[in-house]
mmCIF file of all heavy atoms in Angstrom:
data_model
loop_
_atom_site.group_PDB
_atom_site.id
_atom_site.type_symbol
_atom_site.label_atom_id
_atom_site.label_comp_id
_atom_site.label_asym_id
_atom_site.label_seq_id
_atom_site.Cartn_x
_atom_site.Cartn_y
_atom_site.Cartn_z
ATOM 1 N N SER A 831 12.674 17.454 -7.296
ATOM 2 C CA SER A 831 12.272 18.720 -7.928
ATOM 3 C C SER A 831 13.132 19.957 -7.394
ATOM 4 O O SER A 831 13.316 20.710 -8.250
ATOM 5 C CB SER A 831 10.780 19.132 -7.822
ATOM 6 O OG SER A 831 10.598 19.427 -6.322
ATOM 7 N N LEU A 832 13.687 19.765 -6.229
ATOM 8 C CA LEU A 832 14.596 20.812 -5.798
ATOM 9 C C LEU A 832 15.830 20.850 -6.676
ATOM 10 O O LEU A 832 16.370 21.963 -7.013
ATOM 11 C CB LEU A 832 14.897 20.632 -4.394
ATOM 12 C CG LEU A 832 13.794 20.547 -3.335
ATOM 13 C CD1 LEU A 832 14.279 20.245 -1.955
ATOM 14 C CD2 LEU A 832 13.154 21.970 -3.239
ATOM 15 N N GLY A 833 16.243 19.740 -7.030
ATOM 16 C CA GLY A 833 17.413 19.583 -7.864
ATOM 17 C C GLY A 833 17.296 20.033 -9.224
ATOM 18 O O GLY A 833 17.993 20.610 -9.928
ATOM 19 N N VAL A 834 16.031 19.786 -9.682
ATOM 20 C CA VAL A 834 15.625 20.112 -11.139
ATOM 21 C C VAL A 834 15.648 21.648 -11.227
ATOM 22 O O VAL A 834 16.325 22.234 -12.070
ATOM 23 C CB VAL A 834 14.276 19.580 -11.419
ATOM 24 C CG1 VAL A 834 13.773 20.207 -12.821
ATOM 25 C CG2 VAL A 834 14.317 18.047 -11.538
ATOM 26 N N VAL A 835 15.048 22.312 -10.234
ATOM 27 C CA VAL A 835 14.965 23.813 -10.365
ATOM 28 C C VAL A 835 16.399 24.429 -10.175
ATOM 29 O O VAL A 835 16.858 25.329 -10.875
ATOM 30 C CB VAL A 835 14.045 24.386 -9.219
ATOM 31 C CG1 VAL A 835 14.198 25.867 -9.141
ATOM 32 C CG2 VAL A 835 12.669 24.021 -9.672
ATOM 33 N N GLY A 836 17.104 23.824 -9.156
ATOM 34 C CA GLY A 836 18.522 24.331 -9.000
ATOM 35 C C GLY A 836 19.367 24.120 -10.123
ATOM 36 O O GLY A 836 20.155 24.914 -10.548
ATOM 37 N N GLY A 837 19.242 22.895 -10.778
ATOM 38 C CA GLY A 837 20.086 22.580 -11.924
ATOM 39 C C GLY A 837 19.704 23.634 -13.138
ATOM 40 O O GLY A 837 20.638 23.953 -13.972
ATOM 41 N N ALA A 838 18.455 23.862 -13.269
ATOM 42 C CA ALA A 838 18.002 24.636 -14.363
ATOM 43 C C ALA A 838 18.580 26.109 -14.324
ATOM 44 O O ALA A 838 19.072 26.655 -15.300
ATOM 45 C CB ALA A 838 16.468 24.696 -14.404
ATOM 46 N N ILE A 839 18.447 26.686 -13.045
ATOM 47 C CA ILE A 839 19.100 27.920 -12.848
ATOM 48 C C ILE A 839 20.656 27.896 -12.963
ATOM 49 O O ILE A 839 21.174 28.796 -13.585
ATOM 50 C CB ILE A 839 18.730 28.423 -11.364
ATOM 51 C CG1 ILE A 839 17.188 28.578 -11.227
ATOM 52 C CG2 ILE A 839 19.420 29.676 -11.024
ATOM 53 C CD1 ILE A 839 16.672 28.823 -9.833
ATOM 54 N N VAL A 845 13.146 29.599 -15.002
ATOM 55 C CA VAL A 845 12.031 28.849 -14.560
ATOM 56 C C VAL A 845 10.930 29.775 -14.155
ATOM 57 O O VAL A 845 11.160 30.701 -13.216
ATOM 58 C CB VAL A 845 12.392 27.989 -13.250
ATOM 59 C CG1 VAL A 845 11.213 27.105 -12.763
ATOM 60 C CG2 VAL A 845 13.613 26.992 -13.602
ATOM 61 N N VAL A 851 8.297 23.307 -14.039
ATOM 62 C CA VAL A 851 8.416 22.170 -13.114
ATOM 63 C C VAL A 851 7.152 22.056 -12.335
ATOM 64 O O VAL A 851 6.688 22.936 -11.700
ATOM 65 C CB VAL A 851 9.703 22.239 -12.363
ATOM 66 C CG1 VAL A 851 9.802 21.103 -11.347
ATOM 67 C CG2 VAL A 851 10.961 22.441 -13.140
ATOM 68 N N MET A 863 11.352 28.001 -2.076
ATOM 69 C CA MET A 863 12.223 28.114 -3.157
ATOM 70 C C MET A 863 12.026 29.352 -3.954
ATOM 71 O O MET A 863 10.928 30.034 -3.912
ATOM 72 C CB MET A 863 12.066 26.917 -4.050
ATOM 73 C CG MET A 863 12.600 25.521 -3.442
ATOM 74 S SD MET A 863 14.381 25.520 -3.306
ATOM 75 C CE MET A 863 14.845 25.334 -5.031
ATOM 76 N N ASN A 864 12.999 29.644 -4.824
ATOM 77 C CA ASN A 864 12.889 30.820 -5.684
ATOM 78 C C ASN A 864 13.173 30.449 -7.128
ATOM 79 O O ASN A 864 14.362 30.216 -7.489
ATOM 80 C CB ASN A 864 13.799 31.973 -5.301
ATOM 81 C CG ASN A 864 13.582 33.192 -6.080
ATOM 82 O OD1 ASN A 864 12.575 33.373 -6.682
ATOM 83 N ND2 ASN A 864 14.631 34.135 -6.116
ATOM 84 N N PRO A 865 12.093 30.129 -7.922
ATOM 85 C CA PRO A 865 10.751 30.381 -7.566
ATOM 86 C C PRO A 865 10.159 29.251 -6.746
ATOM 87 O O PRO A 865 10.715 28.157 -6.795
ATOM 88 C CB PRO A 865 10.156 30.458 -9.042
ATOM 89 C CG PRO A 865 10.939 29.470 -9.725
ATOM 90 C CD PRO A 865 12.269 29.721 -9.375
ATOM 91 N N ILE A 867 7.931 26.089 -5.896
ATOM 92 C CA ILE A 867 7.762 25.056 -6.800
ATOM 93 C C ILE A 867 6.321 24.452 -6.759
ATOM 94 O O ILE A 867 5.705 24.175 -5.714
ATOM 95 C CB ILE A 867 8.652 23.865 -6.500
ATOM 96 C CG1 ILE A 867 10.117 24.235 -6.735
ATOM 97 C CG2 ILE A 867 8.370 22.596 -7.432
ATOM 98 C CD1 ILE A 867 11.097 23.283 -6.379
#
Side-chain angles (χ1 to χ4, degrees):
S831 75
L832 299 174
V834 171
V835 171
I839 294 172
V845 179
V851 178
M863 290 289 290
N864 185 20
I867 299 176

